[in-house]
Amino acid sequence: QCDLQGLWRSDLGSNMTILATNTAGTFSGSYHTAVAATNKHILVSPLQEAQQHRSIKTHPMFGLTVQWQFSDSSTAFVGQCFVDHRGKETLETIWLLQEEVLSHKDTWNATRVTTSIFTHIK
Ligand code: BTN
């Protein structure tokens, strides 16, 4: 069984806190990114669950979005939680970082995508 709740550290050094699921059945939390595409001062930013499949309770799958408090971009993560034979939990995710551009001519440069692995640290 993999538990999404708690503090996670990504391969980029970012910290993500997932809070307990609320009565409506969704979670929220906060994201402290270690890196940014902008030069602005990084602020801890809220995250919202977008979707979770409750059918696979042992390795929950989820989608979440982060609303950056210091930039006009937004990021969506989708992924799944896994546990190895030693009980170490990891989130295997892929994310899209969408930047706001001034014109549709700039959309070719508006989206970044990469995979990211998080480790449950607390
Ligand atoms: C921005 O630069 O406009 C906002 C911060 C974006 C941080 C990105 S989201 C995907 C990747 N994973 C992280 O932990 N940080 C970067």
Side-chain angles (χ1 to χ4, degrees):
Q1 175 114 10
C2 204
D3 189 8
L4 290 178
Q5 196 184 324
L7 178 62
W8 297 85
R9 169 100 18 99
S10 86
D11 42 14
L12 289 168
S14 298
N15 287 323
M16 173 169 75
T17 301
I18 294 182
L19 301 174
T21 300
N22 64 23
T23 46
T26 60
F27 65 73
S28 61
S30 59
Y31 201 103
H32 191 175
T33 184
V35 294
T38 67
N39 293 323
K40 297 196 181 130
H41 181 69
I42 290 171
L43 297 173
V44 178
S45 300
L47 69 83
Q48 286 290 332
E49 179 188 31
Q51 181 245 357
Q52 184 176 179
H53 254 286
R54 256 157 287 272
S55 52
I56 319 168
K57 288 214 179 65
T58 50
H59 300 116
M61 195 175 97
F62 63 91
L64 63 85
T65 55
V66 183
Q67 174 140 37
W68 302 109
Q69 297 297 287
F70 59 95
S71 93
D72 296 325
S73 305
S74 66
T75 302
F77 288 84
V78 285
Q80 198 174 351
C81 189
F82 294 99
V83 205
D84 73 8
H85 59 283
R86 291 199 184 93
K88 184 184 158 192
E89 292 174 319
T90 51
L91 293 181
E92 296 190 20
T93 71
I94 184 161
W95 52 261
L96 290 169
L97 171 59
Q98 183 74 15
E99 233 178 279
E100 195 172 68
V101 289
L102 292 175
S103 150
H104 70 94
K105 292 194 186 80
D106 299 323
T107 53
W108 63 272
N109 194 27
T111 312
R112 292 176 175 84
V113 56
T114 303
T115 56
S116 193
I117 295 184
F118 293 77
T119 308
H120 209 168
I121 57 172
K122 221 161 51 181

